[in-house]
Amino acid sequence: YTQELLDAEINYAAYAGIDYWAYCWYPIKNTMETARNLHVTSKLRDKVKRCAILGVKPFGEAERAQLVGYFKETFYKKGQRGRPLVYFFEVKKTLALITAIQKDCEAQGIPLPYFASMSVMATGIDAISAYAMGHSGGATFNKLTQMAASKWQVNKNDGQQIIPLITTGWDNRPRWDNPVSWHKVTEDSWCKTGTANEIVSHVKEGIQWTNDNVGSTLANTVLIYAWNEHDEGGWLCPTVQVDGNGNVMKIGGVNLINTERIDALHRAKN
């Protein structure tokens, strides 16, 4: 993975109207942090901002110091009153970490972060969101989007602050064919793939719901699953074009790029 590739993805995302990425925050000196490091070194880093998803891997003092340092930068996603946006994948034993981050911010004159949970509400959490929306047995994409919209309303009815989760799909079957060490999936863990226009319609729905429910959406943002969860079935990042048999299409030995999803988003935002 190179700076050139990361920069290309930033340009693709900005073209689609995406204004930030939420990175699963892997430990320092771990190869899974490569993309976020290249984001920091990119000359385009303010074009698509970034924030953190904590609770996916160990997070020590070095990682905390790095993250709080990024809060000061223009490329870090800020929310209400300039508060840095931080997601938690899960909220087990997070209060001590939240308190430590807040103390670091107070000492450095940084606005206290806005913390959003991707699971359940907990002490220290400001809002509820989600990482992904899943279903099984080949359910329709429309069924998946209905589940997402229903969750927004349920959270609102519970009196919670919300960052709506918008879905682009769910299909874990690549992991059935090519298992990964960290997640075991069942063979029926998949939904039908949505068209680019269906995805755009759902994105519009989520943004409109946010605008219509300002009292419950003070963060004034949404989260889309996902930019590049290709083997989980949720993505916006360009892929490759394939023929009816699934073979990659090429011209002069070069893969043809499939940009239909970001093209549809680009048209919608204009």
Side-chain angles (χ1 to χ4, degrees), residues 27 30 39 41 57 120 147 151 157-158 163 167 173 178 184 190 192 197 202 208 215-216 223 236 259 266:
N30 179 301
H39 197 149
T41 57
K57 286 292 181 179
V120 297
M147 289 175 60
K151 180 175 174 60
N157 294 343
D158 287 343
I163 297 179
T167 181
R173 288 178 296 177
N178 300 281
K184 183 175 178 60
W190 68 284
K192 292 182 173 64
N197 287 336
H202 181 48
Q208 188 62 54
S216 300
L223 184 66
L236 292 173
T259 59
H266 176 78

Side-chain angles (χ1 to χ4, degrees), residues 7-81:
D7 289 355
E9 290 194 42
I10 289 176
N11 280 326
Y12 280 135
Y15 165 79
I18 294 167
D19 62 358
Y20 78 101
W21 284 325
Y23 283 86
C24 291
W25 213 260
Y26 292 93
I28 294 172
K29 296 183 180 179
N30 179 301
T31 55
M32 295 293 281
E33 65 162 349
T34 299
R36 80 168 190 254
N37 289 339
L38 291 174
H39 197 149
V40 173
T41 57
S42 174
K43 294 179 180 179
L44 307 174
R45 65 187 191 179
D46 283 301
K47 202 169 184 179
V48 175
K49 299 184 187 299
R50 44 91 68 83
C51 70
I53 303 174
L54 305 185
V56 291
K57 286 292 181 179
F59 186 83
E61 291 186 8
E63 285 75 26
R64 193 178 82 230
Q66 182 191 61
L67 179 61
V68 172
Y70 289 154
F71 289 165
K72 305 173 187 177
E73 302 292 343
T74 56
F75 62 76
Y76 197 92
K77 171 68 175 175
K78 311 295 196 305
Q80 185 190 33
R81 298 192 299 275

